[in-house]
Amino acid sequence: MNPISRGEFLKLGSLSLLGALVSDAVLANEHFLSAPATKKDSHLMKKLLLHNDETVEELLQKEWIDSDVRLNSYRSLAGTIAVFVASISHSESKFYKSETVAERLNQSADILLKGQYSDGTVDAGGNRQSPPDTAFVLESICSAATVLNSNKQTQLEALRNKLKKFIQNAGEALITGGVHTPNHRWVVCAALAHINSLYPDVRYINRINQWLAEGIYLNQDGHYSERSGVYSAVIDKALITMATLLNKPELLDIVEKNLITYYYYTEPNGDLVTVDSKRQDQFMNLTVSKFYLQYRFMAIHTANPMFIYMVNLIEKSPDFDYSVLSHALIDFIENPELQQQIPEISNIANDFEKFFAVSNLARIRRGKTSITLFGGNDKPVMIVSGRSSNPNFLMYRKGDAILKYMRLSSSFFRMGYFSSDGIEKVGNKYILKETKQGDYYQPLAPEFLKADGDYQLSESKDKRFWNKMDFENRVASNIKTQTTTIEIEENNGELTLDFKVDGPPNVEITIEMCFKEGTQITGATVEEKGNYFLKSGNAQLSMGNDVIELGPGLGEHQNVNSLDSEEYAYHQGTLRTEGVHVYITGLTPFQHKMTIS
């Protein structure tokens, strides 16, 4: 990347953060115009070089790709090319000017070109001739080409020409090609900006401007539309690329806001809160290491203590070697600005309470206690990419003792887990509420009758199932309604939970808690399938020296099967995850009060 000049950053003036982030903007702006550090982080560079060389060694020891076998995805190959280029181009690498690496690079480039279609695209799994997946491949290939073009090793001339051919062919695809998802637009734009920096063409700029004209959505919580950790990291990196290569520093305002949000979404050990994502990571375990280059770039330019803290946190994380050091050398060679030392900061406050009203998510930190409350699923709840559907409404951590999630399920018409209609915040109390309705249906009126009984295949009015019953023209009757309210009050890290479920009597209610694997439990009763029931009193759940205490319990039934809803059960699916499961159970009318500390 070509770094933005100091003068260009001075033109930015103060940032204008949105709504809930205004107070954080003050902290950010105080440091935004601070002079960036100029001293090179030699220790980090040595580690990057060492780990990149180790990755090269591992790759060279592996059986190489059969050139006759067509790959179904090329992103990994592109990453391999970038790792090889970083080592062969770095004068302190053991593979500097290596003939073996040069041979592998040429073989890799041949495979890449062989897999490229005449329209410039490549395949990626089920995505055939995919422009956005081609853009993801270009992220690594353009970085490699940039480094190769500034390192004029004569033995790599053929490689430079091969990569140029691939890149320019791909550029033709991106000038006209479409996308699937919101983040794809900015990945494509970043790829076009990268190509233009190598081989300028006004058509690349025109296409970028066409996508940018749609506007980059960022809500008042600091979230992009997909509300995803995976794709926020992708978008932030793409916007930084465009800001630097296209002289659009205003794009960094957006990155700034999103990175502030993910500061609050990061657990003390580097885990990311993903429960509110609208994409696949809402059910995945992620770490903030995905944001390392983004936080480092912005920490250098802003000296924002939040960002400096995040850089230091990631560098101390157990997955830093694998997630960053093993392959990021190419980024530091391409953009030497990243090599600067990060300014030092004293420890920042570790206590906060942050309510993200648009996402209906609260984050609370009290020393070593970390709490997440969530009630922001998209309604109606649908299990599909692009919609939030995670039933976890509470996550609680005290050091190494981790309650991965709390859920509430009801046997009411087999509708499954509680999914709150948002969160209302009243003082230090958070109120989650949901109303469900189950219907029965009357005979069709005479004017809708069919002698052959072949009625329209349609969805029931309560959205539970489909049948050839022409539900639209039937009157619903015997309607049953169930209302669930959960009030959660926080006091210095201790939670008081008050559950109320009103509706038809004798409905089974199950509070499900899943603790991290290896958690030791006392005070609860284990049954033959390994599930724990807290029938009365309190339970202690420990990991190492850290203990979570909760209770009192209640046990009025032991049916903890089919908690997911008929939508899952019909496909023999389940949302149950690995971990230690503890249950509190009751029957309606249900009212139960408990604490977690």
Side-chain angles (χ1 to χ4, degrees), residues 174-246:
L174 301 191
I175 288 171
T176 59
V179 299
H180 287 149
T181 61
N183 72 84
H184 283 172
R185 295 170 296 177
W186 319 129
V187 174
V188 166
C189 286
L192 287 168
H194 234 148
I195 300 172
N196 186 70
S197 71
L198 290 162
Y199 317 111
D201 188 324
V202 70
R203 296 179 302 153
Y204 302 144
I205 303 301
N206 291 340
R207 186 61 164 175
I208 291 170
N209 290 334
Q210 189 177 4
W211 285 119
L212 286 176
E214 295 187 2
I216 302 170
Y217 175 82
L218 192 83
N219 67 24
Q220 290 183 353
D221 287 346
H223 277 302
Y224 300 114
S225 62
E226 293 169 291
R227 215 163 65 187
S228 159
V230 168
Y231 295 111
S232 291
V234 166
I235 294 172
D236 288 342
K237 190 171 185 180
L239 296 185
I240 289 172
T241 298
M242 284 190 278
T244 56
L245 297 182
L246 302 176

Side-chain angles (χ1 to χ4, degrees), residues 559-579:
N559 179 19
V560 294
N561 298 315
S562 301
L563 299 179
D564 307 276
S565 83
E566 190 170 358
E567 184 174 10
Y568 283 95
Y570 181 77
H571 297 281
Q572 292 79 51
T574 180
L575 285 172
R576 180 182 167 107
T577 68
E578 295 294 324

Side-chain angles (χ1 to χ4, degrees), residues 6 34-37 295-304 307-308 337-343:
R6 189 74 201 139
S34 302
Y295 275 117
R296 187 174 187 87
F297 178 91
M298 295 300 288
I300 289 169
H301 278 286
T302 69
N304 181 347
F307 301 163
I308 297 170
E337 188 176 37
L338 290 173
Q339 299 180 24
Q340 296 177 17
Q341 277 192 351
I342 300 297

Side-chain angles (χ1 to χ4, degrees), residues 428-498:
N428 65 337
K429 183 180 292 185
Y430 294 88
I431 302 173
L432 297 84
K433 188 173 183 178
E434 180 194 37
T435 297
K436 290 179 176 178
Q437 178 178 301
D439 303 340
Y440 295 91
Y441 302 94
Q442 291 293 311
L444 285 168
E447 62 267 30
F448 300 115
L449 296 176
K450 292 184 177 182
D452 61 0
D454 188 12
Y455 297 103
Q456 179 183 357
L457 177 65
S458 58
E459 186 179 22
S460 65
K461 291 185 177 182
D462 55 16
K463 308 295 182 184
R464 291 193 296 121
F465 55 85
W466 288 68
N467 260 315
K468 291 177 69 67
M469 290 279 287
D470 192 9
F471 290 109
E472 181 182 351
N473 292 310
R474 291 181 186 271
V475 174
S477 69
N478 309 86
I479 297 171
K480 307 300 177 185
T481 302
Q482 177 177 278
T483 299
T484 301
T485 304
I486 305 174
E487 296 185 357
I488 304 174
E489 188 170 349
E490 185 268 337
N491 183 12
N492 195 30
E494 178 176 294
L495 298 182
T496 300
L497 293 86
D498 191 357

Side-chain angles (χ1 to χ4, degrees), residues 309-379:
Y309 168 85
M310 295 301 285
V311 171
N312 291 332
L313 174 70
I314 295 170
E315 289 182 350
K316 295 174 184 176
S317 297
D319 69 335
F320 182 59
D321 290 3
Y322 170 78
S323 298
V324 179
L325 294 179
S326 65
H327 60 267
L329 178 61
I330 191 77
D331 299 286
F332 285 74
I333 299 175
E334 183 188 15
N335 183 7
E337 188 176 37
L338 290 173
Q339 299 180 24
Q340 296 177 17
Q341 277 192 351
I342 300 297
E344 292 185 5
I345 59 165
S346 57
N347 292 332
I348 62 176
N350 199 33
D351 279 30
F352 59 77
E353 181 173 357
K354 194 77 174 177
F355 182 40
F356 296 92
V358 178
S359 303
N360 286 287
L361 183 141
R363 287 281 294 149
I364 303 170
R365 180 80 54 77
R366 308 295 184 205
K368 68 190 303 185
T369 298
S370 180
I371 301 164
T372 305
L373 307 177
F374 176 60
N377 280 334
D378 294 308
K379 296 297 183 82

